[in-house]
Amino acid sequence: MQRLDRPESWLAMQGFLVAFVWEMLQMPFFDMDHLSGWQQTKNCALASFGDAGIMVFSYLIARAFAGRQYWLHDSRPGPLATYLATGLTVTVAVELLAVRVPWGWEYSELMPKLAGIGLVTIAMWIVVPLVSLTLAARLTRPHST
C-alpha cells in the first residue's frame, strides 16, 4: 500500500493545514504581545504539528477500536466518538499543563474559560479534527483492512 493511500497520511497533512489556519485566527485569545509576528507564526506552526500529531494518534486509537483502518468511511458513531474523545482528552491535558508552566502560553482577557481551560481550544478540537477527517476521507479509498 502506498503511503498516500493511508488515511493517517492525509489526516496528518490536512490536519496540519487546517490547524494552522485555526491557530493563526485564534491569536487574539492568547497573550503573546512579547513575541514578534514571526515568532508567533513559528509557534502556531509548531502547535499545528502537535495538533496534527494528536489527530493521527486519535485516529490510530479509533482504528484499534474499530478494528479496521478505513473506519472514516463508515457511518458507525463509535470510532468517531473514540477519535474525538481521545483528542479532546489529550488536548485538555496539554492545556492544563501549558497554562500552568512558565514556558507555556497565557490566555488573553478575551478567552472564555471553563475550569481553567480555554473554550476556543475545546472548540478547536471539535471543528479542526472533523474538517480534517472529512478531507482525509475524500482523499482515500476504502479497503477491506
Side-chain angles (χ1 to χ4, degrees), residues 7 9 13 16 18 28 32 38-39 44 49 56 60 63 82 88 90 95 111-112 116 122 135 141:
S9 298
M13 289 183 279
F16 171 78
V18 175
M32 296 198 174
W38 174 241
Q39 290 170 318
C44 286
F49 277 115
V56 170
L60 294 174
R63 175 180 158 180
T82 301
L88 188 57
V90 172
E95 283 294 299
M111 176 68 82
I122 300 304
L135 292 170
R141 294 174 312 224

Side-chain angles (χ1 to χ4, degrees), residues 4-141:
L4 285 181
D5 195 29
R6 296 179 183 168
E8 300 90 334
S9 298
W10 286 109
L11 185 59
M13 289 183 279
Q14 300 301 324
F16 171 78
L17 294 172
V18 175
F20 184 74
V21 170
W22 184 285
E23 293 284 351
M24 293 300 291
L25 292 174
Q26 77 176 356
M27 290 313 314
F29 296 97
F30 290 87
D31 183 13
M32 296 198 174
D33 293 340
H34 62 285
L35 299 177
S36 70
W38 174 241
Q39 290 170 318
Q40 289 181 22
T41 302
K42 286 192 317 187
N43 284 354
C44 286
L46 183 59
S48 299
F49 277 115
D51 295 335
I54 294 169
M55 284 181 247
V56 170
F57 173 75
S58 299
Y59 186 88
L60 294 174
I61 297 298
R63 175 180 158 180
F65 173 80
R68 60 198 176 289
Q69 183 173 16
Y70 290 87
W71 64 262
L72 71 165
H73 294 283
D74 294 345
S75 59
R76 295 181 231 176
L80 180 61
T82 301
Y83 170 71
L84 291 173
T86 301
L88 188 57
T89 300
V90 172
T91 299
V92 167
V94 168
E95 283 294 299
L96 284 172
L97 175 66
V99 298
R100 287 172 172 75
V101 296
W103 52 265
W105 48 82
E106 296 178 14
Y107 298 136
S108 75
E109 293 176 4
L110 298 174
M111 176 68 82
K113 293 178 243 132
L114 178 66
I117 300 295
L119 293 179
V120 172
T121 304
I122 300 304
M124 178 269 181
W125 185 257
I126 296 166
V127 174
V128 171
L130 287 174
V131 169
S132 301
L133 190 66
T134 300
L135 292 170
R138 289 177 173 222
L139 295 166
T140 59
R141 294 174 312 224

